[in-house]
Amino acid sequence: MSKQILTGPVRPEHEVRAIETATVVNNHEVAEEVFITKFHSPVIARLVKAGQFVMVSFPGCFDPLLARAFSVSDVQGKNLSLFYSAVGKGTRRLSKLRKGDAVTINGPLGNGFPKLSKGERVYVVLGGSGAALVPILCRSAKRSGAKMTVFYGARTKRHLVAFKNHKIHHATDDGSKGYHGTVINLLREHFEEERPDKIFGCGPTPMLAALQRDFDGDLPVYISVETPMACGMGFCQGCPVKIYDGRGYFLACKDGPVFNAKEIELE
Ligand SMILES: Cc1cc2nc3c(=O)[nH]c(=O)nc-3n(C[C@H](O)[C@H](O)[C@H](O)COP(=O)(O)OP(=O)(O)OC[C@H]3O[C@@H](n4cnc5c(N)ncnc54)[C@H](O)[C@@H]3O)c2cc1C
Ligand code: FES
């Protein structure tokens, strides 16, 4: 049985959130050191939208002490999935969880990507742990009737995760799968054939910077940043993102993590 605390019933839609004890439904290694963990988390699963994130902590655990941020990768009924690379203490601990183990999840947090509308054409560009967003973005496109094309790049075939039931254009730096070159060059080729109405991106900062530099001209580009976070809720001031014209800083957790690329300066 999951414990739930719903907060802020009169807050704006994207700020309604919960803290709940979520239990592991299953945990799979889907590529080398890359895992998808599915949690029973009924309240947060009901609230979350594409591009929002959660903070995950381990009850009674002091190492790591702080919660870790993860985009919600998918929602299926009362369950939500996280997709992550086991790179540090938190993600390694997550990767070792077994069915029935519990974690504390705080979310959904952040703004998420803009709502999609019927017939709208969206290009989605993903790399690294940004690939987490494939399932939830595809679901939201299907629900809204938007036409979404997904471009997903990695160093080699070994670093690409296969997403069943999703049509994806792949790019690898060594040409071992899909387009031989960067995902940005692949996007460029498609862009010349057909222009979308908007672009969404999530992945390593150089990839986001290239999107911002090369495509943010006459169509909106929205990028999701993965600035390291401590509280995830605007309290610690630990996740600054430079505002484009030097006016100061946004907070990635509160004002983002999705920004119109025009608004920010990537560092
Ligand atoms: C909004 C948001 C969404 C995110 N979504 C995802 C997601 O969907 N999937 C995902 O995989 N990640 C995601 N991240 C990134 C994830 O939160 C971080 O990678 C997180 O720090 C991992 O926690 P960890 O304890 O495993 O690693 P940490 O211990 O925090 O380490 C993180 C990185 O720092 C390195 N590091 C750790 N300690 C040291 C040290 N002493 N010296 C040098 N380097 C060190 C690690 O090798 C690793 O690369 C997201 C981040 C944000 C802000
Ligand atoms: S993580 Fe604390 S203010 Fe953003």
Side-chain angles (χ1 to χ4, degrees):
M1 186 70 132
S2 51
K3 274 192 239 153
Q4 304 147 11
I5 306 167
L6 257 182
T7 59
V10 292
R11 293 156 73 98
E13 191 196 345
H14 80 263
E15 288 188 17
V16 178
R17 61 182 173 80
I19 297 172
E20 78 183 330
T21 303
T23 49
V24 175
V25 176
N26 56 46
N27 198 356
H28 296 297
E29 186 167 12
V30 290
E32 204 178 316
E33 297 290 303
V34 180
F35 294 81
I36 295 180
T37 308
K38 189 190 275 188
F39 293 95
H40 180 70
S41 184
V43 179
I44 299 174
R46 182 165 53 79
L47 297 171
V48 76
K49 61 181 190 138
Q52 288 190 294
F53 67 99
V54 292
M55 297 297 289
V56 178
S57 53
F58 303 94
C61 171
F62 297 100
D63 191 24
L65 181 63
L66 295 174
R68 298 298 196 246
F70 297 95
S71 302
V72 174
S73 175
D74 200 8
V75 173
Q76 292 159 309
K78 295 179 176 179
N79 299 328
L80 62 81
S81 300
L82 305 182
F83 168 110
Y84 55 92
S85 304
V87 291
K89 283 181 181 166
T91 44
R92 282 201 200 101
R93 201 176 171 107
L94 265 183
S95 72
K96 293 194 171 74
L97 293 178
R98 299 276 167 266
K99 187 175 175 179
D101 288 346
V103 298
T104 303
I105 303 188
N106 178 5
L109 299 166
N111 53 1
F113 283 100
K115 237 181 187 157
L116 296 169
S117 48
K118 194 164 182 216
E120 189 177 27
R121 178 165 284 282
V122 188
Y123 281 0
V124 174
V125 188
L126 305 170
S129 62
L133 295 173
V134 169
I136 196 161
L137 278 173
C138 289
R139 245 178 233 285
S140 111
K142 203 168 171 191
R143 222 180 6 247
S144 62
K147 294 175 191 153
M148 186 173 278
T149 309
V150 180
F151 303 92
Y152 169 25
R155 268 180 289 153
T156 72
K157 182 180 173 179
R158 219 164 43 85
H159 297 91
L160 282 172
V161 175
F163 289 95
K164 286 181 208 146
N165 312 323
H166 300 293
K167 189 176 176 300
I168 295 174
H169 298 277
H170 293 105
T172 47
D173 294 349
D174 68 351
S176 50
K177 180 158 180 167
Y179 177 82
H180 188 169
T182 69
V183 71
I184 296 293
N185 285 339
L186 171 62
L187 177 69
R188 221 170 255 131
E189 289 195 359
H190 281 256
F191 198 80
E192 276 161 21
E193 279 169 29
E194 186 177 25
R195 281 179 177 239
D197 299 308
K198 54 180 70 155
I199 297 179
F200 291 171
C202 185
T205 304
M207 187 198 96
L208 298 183
L211 276 182
Q212 192 183 37
R213 192 182 55 237
D214 299 349
F215 297 91
D216 187 26
D218 39 34
L219 87 171
V221 176
Y222 294 91
I223 52 183
S224 179
V225 300
E226 288 192 357
T227 312
M229 292 179 185
C231 73
M233 290 189 293
F235 301 140
C236 72
Q237 308 289 302
C239 59
V241 177
K242 230 182 201 168
I243 299 179
Y244 176 72
D245 61 3
R247 273 183 295 132
Y249 293 88
F250 289 122
L251 290 177
C253 64
K254 199 162 84 42
D255 305 310
V258 178
F259 293 95
N260 185 322
K262 283 190 188 3
E263 294 177 344
I264 60 168
E265 203 174 291
L266 290 166
E267 294 175 283

